[in-house]
Amino acid sequence: MPLRIVRLGTPRAPDEGTRIGTVRRPPRGVPKAEFASQDWYDVWYPLLSPSRELMQQGQQAQSDKEWQAFVKHFRKELAQPEAARTLDLLATLSHHSALSVGCYCENEARCHRSVLREELASRGADIATDPLSTSQRHQGDMSMKIAFIGLGNMGGPMAVNLHKAGHEVRAFDLSQPARDKLAADGVGIAADAHAAVQGAEVVISMLPASQHVDSLFLGAGELLAQLPAGTLVIDCSTIAAATSRKVAEAARAKGVAFIDAPVSGGTGGAIAGTLTFMVGGDAADLERARPVLEKMGANIFHAGGVGAGQTAKICNNMLLGILMAGTSEAIALGVANGLDPKVLSEIMRRSSGGNWALEKYNPMPGVMETAPASKGYAGGFGTDLMLKDLGLAQENAAAVKAATPLGGLARNLYAAHSLAGHGALDFSSIIKSVQKQG
């Protein structure tokens, strides 16, 4: 059979060897007869991926001058003896096989793989038209096999969006009601986490805390030991950066790619597919994950290496906890003075006190119909989860000797609120602790 090579150079492998993964299903838009008549492979050549620093330079290029500077430096890397020999080999193979160089970027003209195509073409390579180009991937034309572990208020809607995008999702959660809810939405449910990851190209986890992630991948769950080399793990949990780095190190030893990608945007963003992802990890691994993340979110930021996404997330949530407590105090003060909470909220929203809580997540019942406050503080982002994140921020601040006095105060406020029996309520219920009684 002819050999078909797709997605050349992605992802960046964790060692100096070449990794080959078989493409098991025809991508959408590729006739089954064509797929059956060829052997399809992903060929990952780390020597043909830009160095991490150079990849970031290319992603950040805004002008033609900046892009040409990236191209110049990338061509120098490709001119190194081992990379040059690899290009020569692929050019030779292309005369006997269908050689394709995939691209995942929004702007294919500014993708490092376009430079690869030019380098291969200059060596006389026969490059086939790529059925896995960005235009098709971003329209959902390629189905991936995805395992999703953790189907709570955030994870459930995220898994549903991947299913709606045409991906083959197998999901699992310890909660039977959570499993039943997703099954009703048409998502495939596995018997356990190990069954969920069988044959998965991508594994996504969305779990409550560090100990759950550690246990799933390294502890009693030992899920990492089951994953074959080349699998991509995307952990969307909000956990300690040290835990992310620990799991990533173990994954790297197995040839498994790992990125931490905690989210912001609340349950509304999870349902609407407009979440913000804060990603830590190798730039090439992020590019591999991007088509999946884009089905769940509207904003994707590369914060840095593994663990950087978690650091960005705890900074964000520390600020969120502070501003929600402050917004609650201000509304409670106005109401105690006889002001209409809707009118006061609108005044502050359009004034210098405007913030995300007033825009999207008002803590006062009846002010904003879609906010958890108007639903008995059910669903949303729990007080105990906010308390956990504020605790992570304080642990991190202590480790790096950073001063976070307001973050510490916010943590104490949420701890007292939880002890008062409100831990399961949405974190905006903090307003209860400052409302005038009677």
Side-chain angles (χ1 to χ4, degrees):
M1 283 186 176
L3 171 70
R4 178 109 178 155
I5 301 173
V6 298
R7 294 185 292 203
L8 179 65
T10 298
R12 187 175 178 83
D15 57 30
E16 293 306 314
T18 299
R19 297 194 174 277
I20 299 178
T22 305
V23 179
R24 293 177 292 275
R25 299 174 313 283
R28 293 188 181 182
V30 176
K32 290 184 178 180
E34 178 185 344
F35 180 80
S37 68
Q38 303 176 45
D39 286 334
W40 290 64
Y41 293 96
D42 285 333
V43 180
W44 308 336
Y45 280 99
L47 294 170
L48 302 186
S49 291
S51 62
R52 178 177 171 183
E53 293 76 14
L54 188 59
M55 177 75 86
Q56 291 177 332
Q57 177 185 335
Q59 291 171 336
Q60 295 168 1
Q62 298 294 321
S63 65
D64 289 341
K65 183 178 180 180
E66 291 172 334
W67 173 250
Q68 290 304 320
F70 163 79
V71 172
K72 179 179 178 181
H73 286 98
F74 186 29
R75 290 192 190 280
K76 285 184 178 179
E77 289 189 355
L78 294 177
Q80 295 300 310
E82 289 182 285
R85 282 196 294 271
T86 301
L87 288 169
D88 290 338
L89 172 62
L90 288 172
T92 301
L93 286 174
S94 74
H95 299 301
H96 308 282
S97 312
L99 177 62
S100 174
V101 183
C103 180
Y104 300 151
C105 303
E106 290 284 0
N107 185 351
E108 292 189 39
R110 286 191 177 178
C111 174
H112 75 274
R113 294 173 195 81
S114 67
V115 182
L116 282 179
R117 291 192 190 100
E118 293 173 2
E119 287 293 319
L120 286 164
S122 70
R123 288 167 164 78
D126 181 12
I127 303 176
T129 301
D130 188 7
L132 305 184
S133 65
T134 302
S135 59
Q136 291 176 311
R137 285 187 65 89
H138 283 255
Q139 294 170 7
D141 285 341
M142 191 186 83
S143 173
M144 298 182 71
K145 194 167 186 178
I146 300 173
F148 206 112
I149 313 299
L151 309 175
N153 292 334
M154 298 294 291
M158 292 164 68
V160 169
N161 282 333
L162 291 174
H163 167 70
K164 289 179 178 178
H167 293 296
E168 183 182 341
V169 180
R170 296 191 72 192
F172 178 73
D173 192 285
L174 292 174
S175 166
Q176 184 65 51
R179 298 197 299 269
D180 292 343
K181 188 175 186 303
L182 254 70
D185 289 325
V187 178
I189 302 298
D192 54 32
H194 288 274
V197 303
Q198 284 289 338
E201 301 163 75
V202 178
V203 176
I204 302 175
S205 50
M206 183 57 142
L207 302 174
S210 296
Q211 62 266 31
H212 302 109
V213 175
D214 188 289
S215 177
L216 175 70
F217 289 106
L218 306 177
E222 292 186 319
L223 202 64
L224 191 59
Q226 183 182 333
L227 303 181
T231 305
L232 172 63
V233 174
I234 305 173
D235 180 39
C236 295
S237 318
T238 299
I239 60 175
T243 302
S244 291
R245 288 191 286 266
K246 177 183 176 182
V247 177
E249 184 177 356
R252 190 178 302 112
K254 284 194 85 276
V256 171
F258 178 96
I259 62 173
D260 56 293
V263 304
S264 180
T267 53
I271 293 169
T274 57
L275 293 169
T276 292
F277 286 92
M278 304 164 224
V279 180
D282 190 272
D285 293 333
L286 168 57
E287 289 310 305
R288 184 182 172 197
R290 190 178 294 275
V292 176
L293 299 180
E294 286 176 342
K295 300 305 180 185
M296 302 181 287
N299 302 293
I300 302 170
F301 295 99
H302 189 199
V306 172
Q310 300 296 349
T311 301
K313 176 63 187 291
I314 62 172
C315 291
N316 178 78
N317 276 22
M318 182 179 73
L319 177 59
L320 176 60
I322 293 169
L323 71 84
M324 183 59 78
T327 300
S328 295
E329 283 190 7
I331 293 175
L333 175 61
V335 171
N337 279 278
L339 295 184
D340 184 320
K342 284 189 177 181
V343 174
L344 176 59
S345 293
E346 185 64 12
I347 290 171
M348 294 191 296
R349 186 180 75 84
R350 293 178 178 272
S351 303
S352 56
N355 61 60
W356 181 83
L358 291 170
E359 290 279 354
K360 306 284 188 181
Y361 219 86
N362 198 291
M364 190 72 178
V367 173
M368 194 171 289
E369 184 179 345
T370 57
S374 297
K375 303 174 184 178
Y377 298 105
F381 185 62
T383 292
D384 282 343
L385 289 176
M386 174 55 78
L387 179 58
K388 178 208 71 173
D389 290 357
L390 290 169
L392 289 172
Q394 291 308 293
E395 290 172 10
N396 184 276
V400 299
K401 295 181 172 61
T404 55
L406 290 179
L409 179 57
R411 185 207 171 278
N412 290 340
L413 289 172
Y414 280 96
H417 188 52
S418 178
L419 287 172
H422 306 303
L425 298 181
D426 181 77
F427 82 107
S428 61
S429 64
I430 191 70
I431 196 171
K432 290 177 175 285
S433 67
V434 294
Q435 282 176 313
K436 186 177 180 180
Q437 302 299 316

